[in-house]
């Protein structure tokens, strides 16, 4: 007779409370928050890397396939640039798209010190990052990374995410549906008990410290932000404008209504885009271009390499309109269909645009709520920081992320079709599952989860 | 100044309790449970229909496309039969597949009578159903139905699901991933207050009555079963073998591990399948065949029509192994990859096979746990009934659905890879979201939700 297995509480009692304690901890057992940017700069200097634009012809191991024109690595691994034909009821278009069918791991290791959870963050260089080195998860590994397609070094700490530790968060999340075809990564937080050797490029930080750092420009990378968004926090909101069932029903209706079909096509066939020696771009130079870079002297799995990157044509603006109803905070989400999403639509921020793409439009045809973010008076801004998207795929893909307090005159309680007011807790609840919250909304959710956003502002006014 | 909108409880307080009250109600205000099968038979006689197998050449409005060989309706609507190439790490195959990209509505109307929720069920004929008429949701409508591609009559009660009523459940659920390509339907329960005119083909029944009817063969159709599974019931299980977070993490790992790629191909190119005048079938006659039928004299939107149907080569066996751990019921779920699922894998029952497909295999190579279901002693069977799958697409697709109590010797607490023990409440929680629970597991969940399954059996033994 084997021993009966032990039952455990379904709710994983105490995790949200322990995360809240870490959020309240403005300093931890390790590096002071104020020292982190300097440490990132020092890590950059310690192993200086140079990122240089090159023509496609200088790519090493990458080439355009004779038949399809797709841009691929000769190993068949990493990723490829192919074509996508997106059909929506209001029109259709073609574009280059990144194909990367493997599911990678974005994992943050957690450990309690003096009763407070700390998170092991890495100073990691990515060629597309504005400052090159940003704070990233403990592990940020494509399957090619950890099966050694690079032919490079071991991924440090990976074994904690494959074999051991107590899982606090583990969910597949989508990434940029306008640039990736059905890309997902596994977002994990794993807690360990025993001693963890800490390498030079790693530091233990509390959620409170990470929240403070999320208020600075280009410090916390996208991969870290999405993992922080996926953690199940305490948001004490028993009441909301919509019950959870009504919220799911509204979103089910939006997903039913937003009819988007996407079909892969050879890159060669993509119409409206031109390829020259240095880039693939639209004839009107809107949206983004595909470029190539050489990375030299980097302290990564391999010390130098070349690769393609997607480069948006200008900085983006990503923001939530924010209001309180009955004292309960709500943000205005937008059910947003993107051609590269596996399941049609996800909840995005109120605003998610590159203004340069719409500069030629008359004001009445500009994207809804965009001017509300561009023209927000400083005293209504509850969160603002510039962040860049995944620097391993995107070059200088910076956006100003905002949470702006608005009112009935600009953002009515009864919003236009496709939008709804939901609470940060509801957004966090949905981010515990796949297919609900897009990657831009998850950056803003990370700011809400870690209290980087100053939602209590009004209550502290004299 | 507009009035501030009212907040409501996020949890939609009271719904699960009201559903539980309806489950406890073994009779309702309308028809007695015992009279329902006779009523279905009477409705069949009232408007007799005849379903006759025909050669493909006699299909009216349907034909094989010259270029692709796909079987399509000339309107471009309803559905089409195309080809699919499925690639898994353990091999690949090609097969015909049903393409039906539209999202339809499966909706049950609910209303309280004498303090107990009742559900408006329809006596509906589907050509592929063994008894033709089964108990179905109030509304069972493809988009073609309600946008009138049939050129037929109005869909009764549809307006409640499009415009009004209090939503109790509203979630997109997948259907058979081995026969459908990325098919989803909207599973809805909507409650109304006012008077509802009740047509001859409709009756108000309690969940307790539906539970009793789920114990009978071929009475409650698949569409009704999946909606009943999606309702959020009370399963009082604060503890389980896995915490909810551990369950999600295990499933995320399975979804990452189960690498399935499916690519649409022209039906003409599907290898290993033959087409003759009457069917498309595998050379070895395993799995299923595509056939055509003529339906005459039916009381549906139109009174006669022809259509293709998928017909499995034999009856299936679908079952959960069931055990209690620490007094808490658990069922053994199987993370199951199917080529037609939008997101790779969903949780299926312990067993989901057509035994005839495996009859030629030596016993050591037979599917795991299958014999446990086939040879279950009667005193270990907690649920057993024959149900058929969607009769509008599948002909005589009958399976014996079982929940069988097992023990450590056959189904260890530490199950083999790909399987895990979870509670009925955990299964029900996951069925509140898309992409988690497959349609066969949802039939068994409907039996658990309505207490059709006799899990308390052991406690009642002398």
């Amino acid at each position: 007779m084997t021993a009966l297995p032990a039952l455990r509480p379904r709710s994983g009692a105490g995790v949200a409370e322990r995360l809240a304690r870490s959020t309240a901890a403005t300093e931890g057992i390790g590096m002071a928050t104020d020292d982190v940017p300097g440490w990132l700069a020092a890590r950059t200097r310690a192993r200086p890397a140079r990122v240089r634009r090159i023509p496609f012809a200088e790519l090493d191991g990458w080439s355009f396939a004779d038949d399809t024109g797709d841009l691929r690595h000769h190993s068949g691994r990493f990723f490829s640039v192919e074509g996508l034909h997106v059909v929506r009821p209001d029109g259709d278009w073609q574009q280059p798209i990144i194909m990367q069918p493997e599911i990678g791991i974005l994992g943050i290791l957690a450990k309690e010190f003096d009763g407070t959870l700390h998170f092991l963050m890495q100073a990691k260089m990515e060629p597309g990052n504005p400052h090159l080195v940003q704070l990233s998860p403990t592990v940020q590994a494509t399957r090619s990374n950890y099966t050694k397609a690079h032919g490079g070094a071991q991924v440090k700490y990976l074994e904690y995410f494959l074999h051991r530790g107590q899982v606090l968060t583990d969910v597949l999340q989508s990434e940029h549906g306008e640039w990736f075809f059905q890309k997902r990564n596994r977002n994990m937080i794993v807690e360990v008990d025993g001693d963890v050797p800490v390498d030079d490029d790693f530091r233990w930080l509390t959620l409170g410290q990470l929240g403070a750092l999320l208020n600075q420009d280009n410090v916390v990378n996208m991969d870290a932000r999405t993992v922080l968004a996926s953690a199940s926090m305490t948001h004490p909101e028993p009441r909301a404008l919509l019950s959870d069932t009504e919220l799911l029903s509204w979103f089910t209706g939006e997903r039913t209504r937003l009819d988007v079909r996407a079909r892969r096509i050879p890159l060669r066939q993509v119409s409206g885009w031109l390829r020259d020696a240095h880039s693939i771009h639209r004839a009107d130079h809107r949206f983004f271009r595909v470029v190539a870079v050489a990375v030299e002297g980097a302290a990564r799995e391999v010390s130098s390499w070349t690769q393609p990157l997607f480069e948006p044509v200008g900085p983006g603006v990503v923001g939530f309109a924010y209001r309180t109803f009955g004292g309960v905070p709500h943000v205005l989400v937008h059910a947003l269909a993107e051609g590269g999403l596996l399941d049609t639509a996800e909840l995005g921020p109120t605003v998610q645009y590159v203004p340069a793409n719409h500069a030629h439009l008359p004001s009445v045809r500009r994207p809804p709520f965009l001017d509300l973010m561009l023209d927000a008076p400083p005293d209504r801004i509850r969160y603002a920081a510039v962040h860049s998207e995944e620097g391993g795929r995107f070059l200088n893909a910076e956006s100003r992320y905002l949470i702006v307090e608005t009112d009935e005159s600009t953002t009515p309680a009864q919003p236009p079709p496709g939008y709804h007011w939901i609470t940060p807790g509801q957004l966090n609840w949905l981010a515990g599952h796949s297919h609900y919250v897009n990657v831009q909304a998850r950056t803003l959710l990370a700011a809400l989860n870690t209290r980087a956003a100053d939602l209590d502002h009004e209550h502290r006014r004299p």
Side-chain angles (χ1 to χ4, degrees), chain A:
Chain A
M1 191 68 193
T2 54
L4 277 178
L7 298 188
R8 51 197 73 191
R10 279 187 53 189
S11 63
V15 172
E17 291 71 17
R18 293 169 65 221
L19 293 172
R21 208 149 58 226
S22 184
T23 305
T26 53
E27 294 294 345
I29 53 102
M31 179 172 279
T33 310
D34 285 348
D35 293 339
V36 172
W39 172 66
L40 292 175
R43 296 313 301 163
T44 312
R45 287 190 305 272
R47 282 181 273 185
R50 197 164 80 96
V51 177
R52 185 168 55 87
R53 289 172 190 262
I54 57 172
F56 293 124
E58 289 180 26
L59 280 170
D60 177 22
W62 294 83
S63 59
F64 294 100
D66 287 338
D67 48 353
T68 57
D70 294 344
L71 182 53
R72 300 181 166 281
H73 192 259
H74 66 76
S75 67
R77 304 184 88 161
F78 307 115
F79 63 95
S80 59
V81 181
E82 306 185 10
L84 197 71
H85 185 183
V86 183
V87 181
R88 296 174 46 147
D90 56 348
D92 73 314
W93 70 87
Q94 302 188 339
Q95 62 165 87
I97 194 101
I98 301 173
M99 291 295 308
Q100 189 179 351
E102 297 175 342
I103 294 174
I105 292 178
L106 310 179
I108 299 183
L109 202 60
K111 183 169 150 64
E112 207 167 80
F113 295 96
D114 299 343
T116 299
L117 280 173
H118 287 63
F119 300 84
L120 191 60
M121 305 304 291
Q122 181 182 182
K124 187 173 175 70
M125 195 286 288
E126 296 282 6
N129 285 345
H131 297 167
L132 291 184
V133 174
Q134 294 187 359
L135 218 49
S136 86
T138 321
V139 161
Q140 184 175 317
T142 63
R143 197 172 289 224
S144 296
N145 275 144
Y146 60 80
T147 55
K148 301 280 146 302
H150 285 290
Q154 195 73 250
V155 176
K156 290 192 183 96
Y157 304 106
L158 181 64
E159 69 275 15
Y160 291 102
F161 300 91
L162 298 179
H163 307 302
R164 51 190 173 129
Q166 174 72 21
V167 170
L168 305 185
T169 299
D170 186 0
V171 58
L172 295 184
Q173 298 284 16
S174 70
E175 293 184 9
H176 311 76
E178 71 278 50
W179 296 328
F180 273 122
F181 186 72
Q182 302 184 353
K183 173 79 187 115
R184 280 103 60 75
N185 274 319
R186 194 167 173 181
N187 287 233
M188 301 182 79
I189 302 177
V190 168
E191 184 180 358
V192 286
D193 269 338
D195 276 351
V196 178
V198 175
D199 184 273
D200 282 351
D201 284 327
F202 294 80
R203 288 294 181 273
W204 291 108
L205 299 171
T206 67
L207 288 181
Q209 292 183 285
L210 289 168
L213 293 165
L214 276 167
N215 272 302
Q216 301 186 31
D217 294 352
N218 288 314
V219 168
V220 182
N221 85 353
M222 186 212 83
D223 308 75
R225 299 192 306 266
T226 172
V227 177
L228 295 174
S230 304
S232 183
M233 313 295 292
T234 312
H235 292 273
E237 310 141 356
R239 298 169 75 81
L241 280 182
L242 295 176
S243 73
D244 288 355
T245 298
E246 290 168 326
L247 166 54
L248 289 183
S249 179
W250 168 70
F251 182 60
T252 299
E254 288 299 299
R255 187 165 263 172
T256 304
R257 184 176 70 81
L258 291 164
D259 193 17
V260 179
R261 311 278 163 86
R263 192 168 56 86
R264 294 166 60 179
I265 58 175
L267 183 57
R268 187 189 294 292
Q269 280 177 21
V270 170
S271 71
W273 291 72
L274 308 171
R275 182 178 122 198
D276 62 24
H278 285 84
S279 76
I280 302 169
H281 55 270
R282 271 174 58 115
D284 61 6
H285 294 281
R286 290 169 71 203
F287 300 108
F288 65 91
R289 51 192 165 250
V290 185
V291 299
V293 297
V295 186
E296 284 143 11
R300 293 228 326 185
E301 291 83 3
V302 291
S303 62
S304 72
W305 72 90
T306 64
Q307 69 166 89
L309 290 171
F310 273 38
E311 182 180 29
V313 297
V317 174
V318 178
F320 271 137
Y322 159 76
R323 292 181 63 184
T324 58
F325 296 100
V328 177
H330 286 73
V331 293
L332 187 62
V333 292
H334 182 196
L336 194 59
E338 295 178 321
L341 293 179
L342 179 59
D343 194 359
T344 317
E346 295 186 359
L347 296 179
T350 320
V351 160
Q352 172 184 322
Y353 304 105
V354 171
N357 290 329
H358 307 280
H360 64 294
L361 295 173
S363 64
V364 293
R365 292 190 48 214
R366 284 163 62 81
F369 305 117
L370 175 57
D371 292 336
L372 206 58
M373 295 291 150
L374 294 175
D375 305 336
D379 69 338
R380 309 302 290 276
I381 295 177
R382 300 288 161 263
Y383 177 74
V386 173
H387 296 299
S388 57
E389 309 308 313
E390 161 57 57
R393 298 292 173 269
F394 309 119
L395 181 60
N396 300 321
E398 287 182 297
S399 291
R400 185 166 160 84
Y401 279 88
L402 291 153
I403 299 177
V404 173
E405 189 165 2
T406 59
D407 57 31
E408 184 71 19
S409 68
T410 50
T411 54
Q414 183 59 52
Y419 295 82
H420 231 304
W421 293 103
I422 74 173
T423 69
Q426 288 178 317
L427 195 64
N428 189 211
W429 162 60
L430 293 177
H433 302 276
S434 305
H435 303 294
Y436 279 122
V437 184
N438 83 358
V439 66
Q440 289 89 348
R442 293 203 306 278
T443 280
L444 292 168
L445 177 57
L448 292 165
N449 275 350
T450 58
R451 318 262 159 186
D454 182 22
L455 298 194
D456 298 328
H457 181 88
E458 64 190 310
H459 307 294
R460 292 208 306 263
R461 279 185 223 162

